[in-house]
Every structure is written in C-alpha cells, then in structure tokens.
C-alpha cells in the first residue's frame, strides 16, 4: 500500500481565493477541488472558514469605526464646550473626563496655536477680575468724596451714595462691552410707597425712602452728579486699563473661535493620542 502523504495546512490566502472564486465566479466546491487537486470536503471546509474569518474582520471593522467616531465626537464636543465658554453662552457643563479629553486633544494637536491662545485667555480673564475690582474701588471712593453727594448723605440720605455707585458700576460694564452711549442718568422714577413718601430710583438702583417734596428737590442733584461722574470715570486710569484688556480679549476671542471651528466643523482630528482606538 502506498504511503499516504499528508498535505500541508491550507494557507489563508488560498481559502480566501477559493471563497472569491465560489462567490464571484460561481465555481462550485467540486469544480475548485478538481482544478486545484484537493478533496472536495477540504474545499468546503476552507470556504466556510474563510467566510467566518471575513465576518470576524467585518465585525472588528464596525466596532473600530464606531469607537473611532465616538472618540472624535468626544474631542469635538470638548471643542464645542470651549467655544461656549469663549463666547460666554454659559451652556457648557463640566464633565469629570474633561481633563482627560483636553489631554487627548493636546496630544492630537501639540503644535496648534490654540493652547497658547487659551493660556493667554485665562490670564486675561484673571486680569479683568483684578482690574474690575480696582475700578469698582475707585468709583466707590470718587462717589463718597463727591461734595454734593456727601452733603446729601450727611443730611440723612444714606442710600444715595451706594445707589449711585451701583449705577456707575452697571454703566461701566455696558461701556466696556461696546455700548458707549449707555446711561441711566435720565431714568429717574419716583416710586410711591405710602402717603407723602416715595422710593426714588435711577434705573434699577433705589435711592432710599424719602419725602416726595424732598426727593423732587434732591434727586435732581443726584442726577447732575451722576452725569458729571459718567464723564470722569471714562478717563480714570483704571477704566482705561480695563478697556484695553477687554479689547485684547475681543481680538483673542476671534482667534480662539477660528481654531476651535476647525475642530468642531471638520469633525476629524489629525494625529494620535493614548486614547485612540487604533
């Protein structure tokens, strides 16, 4: 009896070729077995195995594509959140993974000017807080030292000084946001409280309970003082410094939004990070 020679294992590329011939060219397993000199059972088994391997590859591809899409979406959503913070919409919610996602985005885009812009943005925001505090302190001192208001305060109208301070603080915020003509000096309203008494207010700021006739006489003085102080505040150094800082922030906001728009709208971030599915 002739010794049976065991054929070597079927290589993956051979069974893939058999599957292609079977599906695309219509060859049956017996035809393939006859042409390639293999047992038909071997051909059938290898074609089935090739199908299983293909299904596994396709499943892995789907899983990988889904993971990659979610990874890019995490990066895009973080860019959206930064954009919301930059434009001040206040609709961004902090996530526990934000620090990891920022780290991932930095790894993807290590040379992006975005990071230098963000660092400068944070520095400018801190400067605004400090300069805002300085100007509020300056306004408070200027109002307290104003002789006409001090005279009213000494006469018992204690709410007028803090009331004028509040009005000026609100006006300064409007001016620094570009609304340079904003003023509340002409918005005096005498709110009746009870017989003979009123609670006058300028804009939103109440000046304190007083007799109607006294209010009519003295609130005109308060309005005149406010008009004078509006002009004086715009030339003090603290206001000029804060105005420059705000202008720098507006210019930087444009640059930041342009960089973030590339991430948000392209939706695919080049580069790699340690969280990439690949």
């Amino acid at each position: 009896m002739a010794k049976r020679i065991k054929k070597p294992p079927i290589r993956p590329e051979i069974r893939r070729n058999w599957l292609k011939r079977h599906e695309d060219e219509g060859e049956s397993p017996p035809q393939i077995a006859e042409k390639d000199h293999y047992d038909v059972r071997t051909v059938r088994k290898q074609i089935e195995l090739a199908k299983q391997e293909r299904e596994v590859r396709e499943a892995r591809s789907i899983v990988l594509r889904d993971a990659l899409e979610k990874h890019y979406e995490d990066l895009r959503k973080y860019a959206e959140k930064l954009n919301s913070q930059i434009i001040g919409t206040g609709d961004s919610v902090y996530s526990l993974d934000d620090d990891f996602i920022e780290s991932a985005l930095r790894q993807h885009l290590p040379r992006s000017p975005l990071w230098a812009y963000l660092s400068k943005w944070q520095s400018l925001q801190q400067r605004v807080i400090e300069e805002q505090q300085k100007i509020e302190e300056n306004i408070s001192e200027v109002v307290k030292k104003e002789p006409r208001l001090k005279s009213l305060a000494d006469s018992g109208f204690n709410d007028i000084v803090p009331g004028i301070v509040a009005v000026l603080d609100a006006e300064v915020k409007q001016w620094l946001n570009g609304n340079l003509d904003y003023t509340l000096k002409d918005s005096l309203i005498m709110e009746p409280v009870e017989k003979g008494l009123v609670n006058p207010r300028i804009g939103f700021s109440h000046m304190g309970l007083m007799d109607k006739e006294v209010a009519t006489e003295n609130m005109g003085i308060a309005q005149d003082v406010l008009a004078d102080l509006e002009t004086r505040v715009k030339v003090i150094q603290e206001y000029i410094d804060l105005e420059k800082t705000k202008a720098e922030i507006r210019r930087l906001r444009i640059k930041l939004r342009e960089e973030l728009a590339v991430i948000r709208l392209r939706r695919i971030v080049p580069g790699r990070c340690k969280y990439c599915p690949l």
Side-chain angles (χ1 to χ4, degrees):
M1 179 182 294
K3 185 177 180 181
R4 184 177 181 182
I5 300 175
K6 184 177 181 181
K7 288 190 177 183
I10 304 298
R11 298 194 306 274
E13 58 268 24
I14 292 178
R15 60 174 165 262
R16 287 197 295 269
N17 176 261
W18 288 350
L19 176 62
K20 184 177 183 302
R21 288 161 61 185
H22 176 60
E23 291 184 339
D24 297 347
E25 300 171 17
E27 287 189 63
S28 66
Q31 290 173 325
I32 294 172
E34 182 178 354
K35 286 182 180 180
D36 291 16
H37 309 293
Y38 278 92
D39 188 286
V40 69
R41 291 171 297 181
T42 300
V43 173
R44 288 195 176 101
K45 179 179 179 181
Q46 293 299 316
I47 288 176
E48 186 60 31
L49 182 57
K51 288 181 180 179
Q52 294 173 7
E53 291 173 343
R54 182 179 61 188
E55 291 172 357
V56 169
R57 288 195 304 272
E58 290 175 349
R60 286 177 178 172
S61 177
I62 292 171
V63 170
L64 180 59
R65 183 173 64 248
D66 183 61
L68 193 58
E69 287 176 353
K70 289 180 178 178
H71 179 60
Y72 285 145
E73 183 64 10
D74 286 341
L75 298 176
R76 194 193 67 79
K77 284 182 178 179
Y78 184 74
E80 289 278 10
K81 187 176 297 187
L82 286 178
N83 189 64
S84 295
Q85 293 172 2
I86 297 304
I87 63 179
T89 58
D91 58 359
S92 60
V93 180
Y94 178 77
S95 167
L96 292 176
D97 288 335
D98 277 356
D99 51 346
F100 298 118
I101 297 175
E102 179 180 335
S103 175
L105 194 55
R106 285 179 179 272
Q107 291 173 45
H108 274 270
L109 303 170
R111 296 180 180 84
S112 171
L114 172 64
W115 312 117
Y117 293 159
L118 275 177
S119 178
K120 189 174 183 180
W121 174 269
Q122 292 164 356
S123 176
L124 288 174
Q125 294 301 315
Q126 182 59 38
R127 190 196 300 177
V128 165
I129 294 173
E130 295 169 357
E131 292 178 347
Q132 186 76 51
Q133 184 176 355
K134 287 181 182 179
I135 195 171
E136 287 174 358
E137 291 172 354
N138 189 291
I139 288 173
S140 180
E141 288 300 313
V142 169
V143 174
K144 288 177 182 178
K145 292 178 180 179
E146 167 57 46
R148 289 168 290 178
L149 293 182
K150 189 174 184 301
S151 175
L152 291 175
D154 292 342
S155 299
F157 304 116
N158 297 321
D159 292 337
I160 288 183
V161 168
I164 295 296
V165 168
V167 170
L168 282 169
D169 285 343
E171 289 179 332
V172 164
K173 288 183 175 65
Q174 289 289 329
W175 300 337
L176 291 170
N177 286 329
N179 192 1
L180 298 177
D181 296 326
Y182 182 81
T183 179
L184 294 173
K185 68 178 185 296
D186 299 322
S187 60
L188 174 63
I189 294 178
M190 300 287 193
E191 292 184 349
V193 179
E194 53 187 75
K195 188 175 181 180
L197 295 177
V198 294
N199 189 357
R201 63 179 173 86
I202 297 178
F204 64 90
S205 185
H206 291 274
M207 301 292 131
L209 195 66
M210 60 185 75
D211 182 83
K212 184 176 181 179
E213 292 183 2
V214 173
T216 302
E217 178 183 351
N218 291 296
M219 288 311 299
I221 297 175
Q223 285 180 288
D224 291 340
V225 172
L226 178 58
D228 292 342
L229 291 177
E230 286 176 346
T231 302
R232 289 166 57 186
V233 166
K234 288 182 178 180
V235 296
I236 62 176
Q237 190 59 47
E238 289 82 358
Y239 177 83
I240 294 172
D241 291 342
L242 187 51
E243 192 175 36
K244 290 180 180 177
T245 302
K246 287 281 191 175
E248 192 172 356
I249 285 175
R250 286 193 291 271
R251 290 191 294 269
L252 184 59
R253 180 185 290 118
I254 295 172
K255 295 180 180 179
L256 271 167
R257 294 201 63 220
E258 287 175 348
E259 291 299 323
L260 290 169
V262 174
I263 301 170
R264 292 168 45 238
L265 304 180
R266 179 184 289 171
R267 299 179 184 273
I268 294 178
V269 185
R272 291 181 53 79
C273 73
K274 65 181 180 180
Y275 304 113
C276 279
L278 292 174

